[in-house]
Amino acid sequence: MTINAFKIAFLQELKAHYPATETESFLYWLTEAFLGKKRLDVAINPTYELSTKEEKQLKKALERLKNYEPIQYIVGETEFYGLPFKVNPSVLIPRPETEELVDWILQDYSQSGLHILDIGTGSGCIPISLAKNLVDAKITALDISAKAIAIAKENATLNQVSVNFLQQDILRTENLQQKYNIIVSNPPYVRELEKAKMQQNVLNFEPKGALYVKDDNPLIFYEKIAKLAIGNLKKNGSLYFEINEFLAKDLETLIKHIGFTSVETRKDIYGKDRMLKATI
């Protein structure tokens, strides 16, 4: 089968599943990942004959896309803050709004030797991006999942940075071991009642433990982290959260009640309340 013949079949078979522009994007993502061929390569050499192995890989990917499996899991990698990251179903796929959170931190802090703690690290996208952009930062990152920690360590090696990764359940943590300039977290914050609005690729494939919280206590992680943070931030230190847009006001009230005197909420590029910064 030629690459052009596969392209025609691929676009046709996914027509009912995704918008045309997204389907085409998937195609070139796959050809680059599996064949090492970019969009231009496919265009100028449409008669390229797929090997049996290549055809099998692409057809398997097509079937997985029909089941709405995220393309990032299919190719095993994605990009975050201009850096490559390995991903699999053990970790959430890093999202653009989290890049905005990293950007906020980097706007606020540029000095060397900062002590940083990331809680619920997943793929390690937040601490690794910070480590890549801050000189001599001493960064620790926690996650309850051993599988997530394993991926995060791979990503630190891939991006040639040093981060201390620890498997730890923050809800069972009684105290932090030191004081930090920055404590940051993108904890689970999607309520069960919001599942109906989620896309199938998120509902069926991304790790539930990293996404969902009970409807009756949706701020459980924020409350725990804020209580730990208030006694473990250095002078002029800050706590940063990615947040649920529907709970921004409730979270602001909670954070102030815990003792933070300055609380700022920011909107993401889509105009949603998605980030919060708190200082004492």
Side-chain angles (χ1 to χ4, degrees):
M1 175 182 275
T2 66
I3 196 168
N4 194 55
F6 176 79
K7 175 183 176 180
I8 293 168
F10 183 90
L11 297 177
Q12 182 61 35
E13 290 197 41
L14 290 181
K15 195 173 182 179
H17 299 268
Y18 303 95
T21 53
E22 191 172 10
T23 302
E24 196 165 353
S25 173
F26 289 160
L27 173 70
Y28 298 120
W29 203 331
L30 292 173
T31 58
E32 184 167 355
F34 296 156
L35 313 180
K37 294 186 179 297
K38 296 182 181 294
R39 181 175 188 148
L40 181 61
D41 299 322
V42 176
I44 63 178
N45 192 9
T47 58
Y48 172 81
E49 282 287 339
L50 298 171
S51 68
T52 302
K53 180 182 177 182
E54 290 170 341
E55 186 176 340
K56 185 176 180 181
Q57 271 186 312
L58 290 170
K59 286 184 175 179
K60 184 177 180 181
L62 172 60
E63 292 307 311
R64 291 169 73 179
L65 284 168
K66 285 182 181 178
N67 288 324
Y68 297 99
E69 184 172 350
I71 185 73
Q72 294 91 337
Y73 289 159
I74 295 172
V75 300
E77 61 186 22
T78 190
E79 186 179 284
F80 180 88
Y81 216 76
L83 302 171
F85 284 86
K86 295 182 180 181
V87 290
N88 65 26
S90 299
V91 298
L92 289 180
I93 297 163
R95 287 166 167 77
E97 52 265 35
T98 310
E99 289 183 312
E100 294 184 68
L101 181 64
V102 168
D103 205 47
W104 190 0
I105 295 171
L106 292 174
Q107 287 170 17
D108 288 347
Y109 291 88
S110 59
Q111 60 265 47
S112 63
L114 292 167
H115 287 81
I116 302 171
L117 176 65
D118 175 44
I119 298 172
T121 197
S123 66
C125 62
I126 292 175
I128 290 168
S129 299
L130 293 175
K132 201 73 176 175
N133 288 277
L134 293 169
V135 178
D136 294 328
K138 309 296 188 292
I139 305 178
T140 299
L142 314 177
D143 202 285
I144 192 174
S145 166
K147 291 181 178 179
I149 291 293
I151 288 289
K153 286 181 177 179
E154 284 189 50
N155 284 325
T157 300
L158 177 64
N159 286 288
Q160 300 179 313
V161 297
S162 176
V163 177
N164 180 31
F165 291 104
L166 300 174
Q167 185 185 359
Q168 189 169 327
D169 182 351
I170 197 63
L171 294 181
R172 294 178 179 272
T173 299
E174 294 304 318
N175 53 71
L176 301 178
Q177 299 303 308
Q178 66 176 84
K179 291 184 180 290
Y180 299 92
N181 302 101
I182 298 163
I183 296 177
V184 57
S185 182
N186 176 16
Y189 59 67
V190 180
R191 293 170 293 178
E192 297 283 338
L193 63 85
E194 294 171 51
K195 280 187 175 182
K197 300 175 184 177
M198 304 291 284
Q199 295 181 331
Q200 288 188 55
N201 59 344
V202 177
L203 274 174
N204 298 334
F205 293 97
E206 298 204 52
K208 294 176 174 55
L211 280 169
Y212 301 115
V213 286
K214 299 293 184 183
D215 293 341
D216 61 354
N217 194 8
L219 300 179
I220 182 172
F221 287 97
Y222 296 99
E223 182 175 14
K224 179 68 176 185
I225 293 167
K227 285 180 176 178
L228 289 170
I230 198 164
N232 287 274
L233 282 171
K234 294 184 177 184
K235 184 178 180 181
N236 299 319
S238 299
L239 171 64
Y240 294 85
F241 283 128
E242 183 171 321
I243 67 174
N244 184 324
E245 63 176 302
F246 303 112
L247 299 173
K249 296 302 180 185
D250 291 339
L251 182 56
E252 281 186 28
T253 300
L254 173 66
I255 297 296
K256 288 177 180 176
H257 179 74
I258 287 171
F260 286 89
T261 52
S262 175
V263 180
E264 179 185 355
T265 300
R266 278 194 183 181
K267 297 183 185 298
D268 63 14
I269 56 172
Y270 304 108
K272 298 177 180 180
D273 291 326
R274 189 63 77 191
M275 296 162 280
L276 181 144
K277 173 187 174 183
T279 53
I280 301 169

